[in-house]
Amino acid sequence: MKISAIRTTPVLAPLPTPLRTASGSIERFPMVLIELETDAGVTGRAYAQSYLPELLPALHQTVAGLGGMWMDQPLNPRDLHELLRRRCRLLGMKGLAGMALGALDMAAWDAWARSCGQPLARLLGAELRPLRAYHSVGLYDASSVVKVAEATAAAGYAGLKIKLGFPTLSEDLAAVRAARHALGDGIALMVDYNQSLSATEAMRRCRALDEEGLEWIEEPVLADDFEACARIAAAVHTPIQIGENFHGPAEMRAAIAVGAMDLVMPDVQFVHGVTGWMEAAALARAASLPMSSHIFVEASSQLLCATPTAHWLEVLDAAAGLRRSPLVIRDGHLHPSDAPGIGIEWDEEAVARHRA
C-alpha cells in the first residue's frame, strides 16, 4: 500500500467562545486539514494547527511541501517519519517543520490503523478505556468564571483548567477562589499561566497559590526556561506542569534531566506526532512522570490509552465545529472513539463554510 495523494485544506475552525489568554485572544483556530490517500483506497485524516491566522498560509505550504516527499512511498508510518527527519536534518524539526511532521505523522498512523480496521489505541497494543477528562477554558475574572465553572460541573467533567496572568496576584487569587467555590467538592481545578510571568514573579505567585488546593500550575515561565521551572518546582508544593511546547522528545528528555516539572503534558503535534508521542511516553514511564495531553483530543484520547503513566485528557475541542461526531463525556471521563484510526470524519459542508 503506497501513498497516492496528500490533500490539504486551510480552515479557520469556529469556537463557541473566543479563547482568551494572558497574551491575547483566539477567535477561531487556524488549521490545515490533511487527507492522506493510498492506492488501496484508504484515507488517513489529521490536522495541523497554529494559534495565529497570520501563520496559516505558511503552515499550509509547509504541510503540503513536506507531505509531497511522501508521494509513492509505502505506508509504513515509522519509516515515513524517519524519512522526513533525514530530509530536514539541515533545517531542523522545530517550528513549522516540526508541526508539519507531527500532523503528517498522525495522518499516516490514522491511515495505517484504518487499513487494519482498528482504533489507533488497539493498533498500539492497548485497549480503549474511559479517560479522566478536564474542561480547558480561557482567562476569566472572579465574576465571569462562576458561570464557566458551573457549566463544567453540569457537563460532567472531572476537572476544570482556567487561564491566569491578570495584572495582579490578587486578581489571580480571586478567580481561583471563585472557580473553586462554584465547582464544589470532587472536581479538580488546574491553572495555566501560558508562560506569562518572569521567573521572580512566577515564584511569588506560585507560592501564593500553594494553599489553594490546585491540581497543578502550568507554564508559569517561558516554556524553554527549564532551569527556572526547576527552581519553582523545587520551591512550591503544588505540582508544576509543562510540556505542550516540547519540540520533539529530545526537549522532553532535557527537561527531565534538570527536574523542570512534576507532571508532563506533550502536545502530539509539537512532539512530532504519534511516533514522537510514543517516545515521550517511554521517557515519562522511565522518569515516573504522570503524562497528560494537550489539545488534539481525537489523537490524544487514543494515545493516552497506550501511555503507561496516563494522567489527564485535556478537552479543548478545537475541531468540534468541523467533525461529524461529538465527543462522548460521561461521569468525568471521555470515551475514545472505537472507529478505525484516530476517529476523525469531517463534516464537508462545515469545512467548506470555514475554509480560509
Side-chain angles (χ1 to χ4, degrees), residues 120-197:
L120 177 62
R122 288 192 186 132
L123 196 71
L124 296 173
E127 188 50 78
L128 296 172
R129 58 185 174 84
L131 299 163
R132 190 167 53 157
Y134 72 87
H135 188 204
S136 184
V137 302
L139 185 72
Y140 292 92
D141 63 20
S143 59
S144 58
V145 79
V146 172
K147 184 179 291 186
V148 174
E150 291 172 345
T152 297
Y157 287 97
L160 169 66
K161 185 172 78 181
I162 60 173
K163 309 291 190 188
L164 292 183
F166 288 102
T168 66
L169 170 59
S170 62
E171 291 172 281
D172 283 349
L173 287 170
V176 166
R177 290 167 182 170
R180 177 73 275 159
H181 180 75
L183 286 173
D185 296 330
I187 298 178
L189 179 62
M190 304 85 156
V191 300
D192 184 359
Y193 273 105
N194 289 113
Q195 313 177 61
S196 62
L197 304 176

Side-chain angles (χ1 to χ4, degrees), residues 53-324:
E54 294 84 355
L55 291 182
L56 182 57
L59 179 60
H60 183 211
Q61 289 299 315
T62 305
V63 171
L66 292 187
M69 298 180 186
W70 282 359
M71 291 301 298
D72 300 320
Q73 294 293 318
L75 182 65
N76 299 316
R78 289 188 179 275
D79 292 342
L80 292 167
H81 185 97
E82 188 56 32
L83 184 155
L84 285 188
R85 288 184 60 84
R86 287 198 309 270
R87 292 293 302 273
C88 293
R89 191 160 289 149
L90 296 180
L91 175 66
M93 295 308 296
K94 295 186 178 182
L96 291 174
M99 294 160 67
L101 169 62
L104 288 163
D105 185 272
M106 283 187 268
W109 279 100
D110 182 63
W112 179 252
R114 287 172 186 260
S115 74
C116 297
Q118 292 290 340
L120 177 62
R122 288 192 186 132
L123 196 71
L124 296 173
E127 188 50 78
L128 296 172
R129 58 185 174 84
L131 299 163
R132 190 167 53 157
Y134 72 87
H135 188 204
S136 184
V137 302
L139 185 72
Y140 292 92
D141 63 20
S143 59
S144 58
V145 79
V146 172
K147 184 179 291 186
V148 174
E150 291 172 345
T152 297
Y157 287 97
L160 169 66
K161 185 172 78 181
I162 60 173
K163 309 291 190 188
L164 292 183
F166 288 102
T168 66
L169 170 59
S170 62
E171 291 172 281
D172 283 349
L173 287 170
V176 166
R177 290 167 182 170
R180 177 73 275 159
H181 180 75
L183 286 173
D185 296 330
I187 298 178
L189 179 62
M190 304 85 156
V191 300
D192 184 359
Y193 273 105
N194 289 113
Q195 313 177 61
S196 62
L197 304 176
S198 68
T200 301
E201 183 64 11
M203 186 70 79
R204 185 175 80 93
R205 295 201 188 193
C206 289
R207 280 175 167 160
L209 289 166
D210 250 348
E211 304 304 319
E212 302 302 324
L214 298 173
E215 184 80 3
W216 71 61
I217 301 170
E218 187 174 328
E219 284 196 333
V221 296
L222 291 175
D224 58 357
D225 192 346
F226 297 157
E227 290 76 14
C229 285
R231 291 195 300 272
I232 295 167
V236 304
H237 300 299
T238 307
I240 298 300
Q241 173 79 275
I242 69 170
E244 68 188 66
N245 286 293
F246 290 153
H247 289 262
E251 291 196 355
M252 179 167 159
R253 187 180 302 112
I256 291 171
V258 298
M261 64 280 188
D262 303 295
L263 309 169
V264 67
M265 56 178 302
D267 176 293
V268 64
Q269 172 183 256
F270 281 121
V271 84
H272 299 164
V274 173
T275 305
W277 177 283
M278 296 310 292
E279 293 178 25
L283 291 172
R285 182 175 192 175
S288 299
L289 280 173
M291 183 161 150
S292 299
S293 63
H294 180 252
I295 59 176
F296 292 96
V297 65
E298 306 89 353
S300 295
S301 59
Q302 297 288 323
L303 290 168
L304 278 175
C305 291
T307 299
T309 61
H311 193 202
W312 284 89
L313 177 82
E314 178 177 44
V315 179
L316 197 170
D317 194 8
L322 303 176
R323 281 196 323 271
R324 290 183 190 170

